[in-house]
Amino acid sequence: MAVCARLCGVGPARGCRRRQQRRGPAETAAADSEPDTDPEEECIAAGAAALCGPEGGRGAGPSPPPRCSLLELPPELLVEIFASLPGTDLPSLAQVCTRFRRILLTDTIWRRRCREEYGVCENLRKLEITGVSCRDVYAKLLHRYRHILGLWQPDIGPYGGLLNVVVDGLFIIGWMYLPPHDPHVDDPMRFKPLFRIHLMERKSATVECMYGHRGPHNGHIQIVKKDEFSTKCNQTDHHRMSGGRQEEFRTWLREEWGRTLEDIFHEHMQELILMKFIYTSQYDNCLTYRRIYLPPSHPDDLIQPGLFKGTYGSHGLEIVMLSFHGKCARATKITGDPNIPAGQQTVEIDLMHRIQLPDVETLRNFNELSRIVLEVREQVRLEQQQQQEDRPEDGEGHGRHSPGDPQHSPAQPDREPWDGGAVAAEEQPAQGGQGQPFVLPVGVSSRNEDYPRTCRMCFYGTGLIAGHGFTSPERTPGVFILFDKDRFGFIWLELKSFSLYSRVQASFRNADAPSPQAFEEMLKNIQSLTS
């Protein structure tokens, strides 16, 4: 520390030059009579002299240039230097000397750190009115709660959800993202705040629950472990409505479905809605969240991976995550239902087996489409059987998974893109860039009749179906239809049903996976919670 202090021109050995300038003649004379070095510096100097030889290094070369101390720089330049450093390094810098510590109290430094590290673009000078400094905002709010920023999936049984925690002005707010009302899959996402964190008069950060219709109230956040945190409401009476559970249900139904129960004539759909209200109401006072990442992208991907809204019959619209894994692609549920819960792989696409659809008139015949798909399924089955037979010849470590196997390792450095990608791209301009005409076969139901009437290409895939409570799950054949860069569909052959998916048009910060392996591990974790 003495050496570092001497390099900066401060400390007991040399003393601060500014402090020397302020001394009177008597004090200066007394200071000059004191030893100019401390024992540690004397040892270092002796060692250096020994290395230079008996002549003390006077003839070894030119004398070193005079030292320049940071303390000799003007304060405004030090402010500019310190403001360019990461905020996490500034506390250590404040321990160097009193002058550094005093300069680091300058709010300009922390205003810049808030802006560059957390995107706070508000006029932070407004904080002067409340008596809260930018340093307080950085240290007590942004830095303290930095670990909860990003995308999360709430643990609400089979239903899941999508929470985005962001810095919003001088607040940290947890927004719950909700799909648009069924069946308008192309409409923008809806969102509502679940909690917020802010500073009040230089004190510690205040957590407020935003659930209910009676305004913000006292809440609590606990970071359980890495990539997991929980929220708790301390005033659940704010969630209740004067009209009792009936009024709460009617209000929830308008928010969730955009209609009243009388408008829903399907009896099974009414049961599903009532079940979801009763189940989710149990989690209005305490929730646990687990981090989720956006899927990594690759130049060979069919389309940009990401989040999509999809139609799921009587269950309404749900959110899925499309990701690519070598020779296959998967759609994982972020929100779910009692049949297929959140975290499960709802659709899997075999990118090695493209399906060539017939002309529109032939495509209207469901039996013809079924014949084509079942032929491809048989081909896939035979190929997998052949791979099973060839495994002993491949040796240990090869042929472990089929191309469509969900356990296909993403960690392989040599990613194998789907076959026919270049051919498919060349075929598109054949019809003026419009793709080939598409129509749903007669008898295939769709929640949204306003689906695209042209498609780019189709692939064989499988969809996950199960009974209530995720009983007897099985994968059934189907067709993945790519319409454009933001929309795709899936025909569930056994259910004679069609799901349309539309991209979630939103940008998310702090949501990228640190590595492909971390993303794969995240997928396994959210799937294991509901398996």
Side-chain angles (χ1 to χ4, degrees):
M1 179 59 75
V3 178
C4 296
R6 184 172 183 179
L7 292 175
C8 292
V10 298
R14 292 292 183 185
C16 177
R17 289 190 176 90
R18 290 182 177 271
R19 194 181 307 122
Q20 291 174 0
Q21 292 172 3
R22 291 196 299 267
R23 288 172 177 166
E27 293 175 330
T28 303
D32 291 341
S33 64
E34 295 177 359
D36 199 21
T37 58
D38 63 10
E40 183 180 355
E41 289 182 342
E42 290 176 353
C43 291
I44 296 175
L51 290 174
C52 292
E55 296 186 4
R58 283 190 293 269
S63 60
R67 291 191 299 267
C68 179
S69 169
L70 282 175
L71 287 172
E72 295 178 352
L73 299 177
E76 57 271 16
L77 186 54
L78 287 176
V79 167
E80 190 66 24
I81 293 173
F82 294 169
S84 64
L85 299 175
T88 52
D89 292 343
L90 298 183
S92 299
L93 189 62
Q95 299 177 9
V96 173
C97 67
T98 303
R99 189 184 184 213
F100 283 9
R101 184 163 60 253
R102 185 168 59 250
I103 290 176
L104 285 171
L105 295 177
T106 307
D107 237 24
T108 306
I109 298 174
W110 299 99
R111 184 181 298 118
R112 179 172 169 182
R113 298 319 321 141
C114 290
R115 183 179 66 252
E116 293 185 359
E117 294 183 26
Y118 297 99
V120 179
C121 300
E122 298 288 323
N123 184 4
L124 295 176
R125 290 185 175 87
K126 297 178 182 178
L127 290 173
E128 298 175 0
I129 303 175
T130 61
V132 178
S133 67
C134 296
R135 182 171 176 269
D136 291 331
V137 172
Y138 185 94
K140 299 179 181 180
L141 178 67
L142 302 178
H143 182 70
R144 178 181 178 185
Y145 290 98
R146 68 192 184 280
H147 296 299
I148 70 171
L149 298 177
L151 291 178
W152 303 83
Q153 185 182 51
D155 184 8
I156 313 179
Y159 298 103
L162 179 64
L163 180 82
N164 187 24
V165 183
V166 299
V167 176
D168 191 345
L170 302 179
F171 294 84
I172 291 179
I173 303 181
W175 294 98
M176 180 69 85
Y177 276 63
L178 305 171
H181 292 137
D182 182 53
H184 309 291
V185 70
D186 287 324
D187 286 357
M189 295 284 285
R190 301 174 294 123
F191 41 87
K192 64 178 182 180
L194 290 191
F195 63 85
R196 71 180 186 182
I197 315 170
H198 62 111
L199 289 181
M200 295 293 289
E201 300 176 355
R202 298 180 63 86
K203 297 179 181 178
S204 59
T206 300
V207 179
E208 294 177 327
C209 176
M210 304 290 288
Y211 191 88
H213 300 270
R214 296 171 60 181
H217 46 282
N218 189 22
H220 175 72
I221 285 181
Q222 179 182 3
I223 300 177
V224 181
K225 58 182 180 181
K226 185 179 182 295
D227 296 334
E228 183 176 325
F229 76 97
S230 62
T231 59
K232 182 180 180 181
C233 176
N234 297 329
Q235 294 176 287
T236 54
D237 56 299
H238 281 65
H239 304 175
R240 308 281 78 88
M241 303 185 74
S242 57
R245 297 290 281 176
Q246 290 187 355
E247 183 182 359
E248 293 172 11
F249 173 68
R250 287 194 298 267
T251 303
W252 175 87
L253 188 59
R254 284 194 301 269
E255 294 177 350
E256 188 83 8
W257 292 84
R259 63 183 78 176
T260 64
L261 195 62
E262 291 75 21
D263 297 332
I264 303 173
F265 302 105
H266 198 289
E267 184 177 348
H268 178 58
M269 192 172 184
Q270 290 181 349
E271 294 176 355
L272 291 174
I273 292 173
L274 285 169
M275 186 186 309
K276 184 175 183 179
F277 171 74
I278 295 172
Y279 193 97
T280 56
S281 296
Q282 305 172 29
Y283 292 86
D284 65 346
N285 65 330
C286 187
L287 269 176
T288 299
Y289 303 88
R290 294 175 178 85
R291 183 179 294 280
I292 59 176
Y293 298 115
L294 292 178
S297 60
H298 190 276
D300 292 332
D301 291 339
L302 199 61
I303 58 174
Q304 179 72 21
L307 297 173
F308 289 78
K309 305 154 285 184
T311 55
Y312 279 88
S314 300
H315 298 292
L317 298 187
E318 299 183 13
I319 304 173
V320 303
M321 178 184 290
L322 180 67
S323 56
F324 291 89
H325 309 263
K327 300 177 183 179
C328 70
R330 304 173 198 151
T332 303
K333 279 195 172 188
I334 302 301
T335 63
D337 52 69
N339 291 74
I340 307 298
Q344 295 298 317
Q345 294 173 11
T346 175
V347 171
E348 186 170 322
I349 306 106
D350 187 345
L351 299 176
M352 299 301 295
H353 292 87
R354 186 176 174 186
I355 291 180
Q356 187 65 43
L357 295 180
D359 59 83
V360 173
E361 292 304 318
T362 307
L363 183 58
R364 294 182 186 275
N365 186 340
F366 177 79
N367 292 331
E368 179 62 20
L369 177 65
S370 179
R371 181 190 64 80
I372 295 173
V373 175
L374 293 180
E375 286 181 357
V376 177
R377 183 179 71 167
E378 180 62 19
Q379 178 185 350
V380 171
R381 188 189 67 81
L382 293 175
E383 290 176 0
Q384 292 178 345
Q385 181 178 346
Q386 184 65 38
Q387 289 176 356
Q388 293 280 353
E389 296 174 354
D390 294 343
R391 274 187 186 178
E393 300 176 5
D394 292 338
E396 186 177 355
H398 295 278
R400 185 177 179 83
H401 301 297
S402 65
D405 195 325
Q407 302 300 322
H408 180 69
S409 173
Q412 294 182 182
D414 52 338
R415 174 191 171 102
E416 300 183 56
W418 55 279
D419 287 355
V423 176
E426 294 174 359
E427 290 179 357
Q428 290 310 115
Q431 299 190 28
Q434 299 299 315
Q436 70 177 95
F438 174 81
V439 65
L440 285 177
V442 176
V444 174
S445 62
S446 173
R447 296 286 296 175
N448 194 330
E449 294 299 329
D450 188 24
Y451 60 87
R453 292 308 193 267
T454 58
C455 68
R456 292 184 179 180
M457 59 190 77
C458 301
F459 292 90
Y460 172 77
T462 59
L464 183 63
I465 63 174
H468 187 84
F470 198 41
T471 56
S472 305
E474 61 174 319
R475 306 205 71 89
T476 61
V479 183
F480 170 85
I481 307 107
L482 178 63
F483 294 115
D484 52 48
K485 65 182 180 65
D486 293 324
R487 289 180 297 179
F488 65 89
F490 190 80
I491 298 178
W492 308 76
L493 210 61
E494 184 171 328
L495 302 178
K496 286 190 175 182
S497 177
F498 170 74
S499 292
L500 177 64
Y501 301 84
S502 179
R503 186 181 298 276
V504 173
Q505 301 289 354
S507 58
F508 300 101
R509 297 188 62 176
N510 305 293
D512 295 329
S515 66
Q517 292 79 7
F519 176 76
E520 288 292 326
E521 188 66 26
M522 180 272 297
L523 285 183
K524 292 178 182 178
N525 289 339
I526 64 175
Q527 184 178 10
S528 64
L529 295 174
T530 56
S531 295

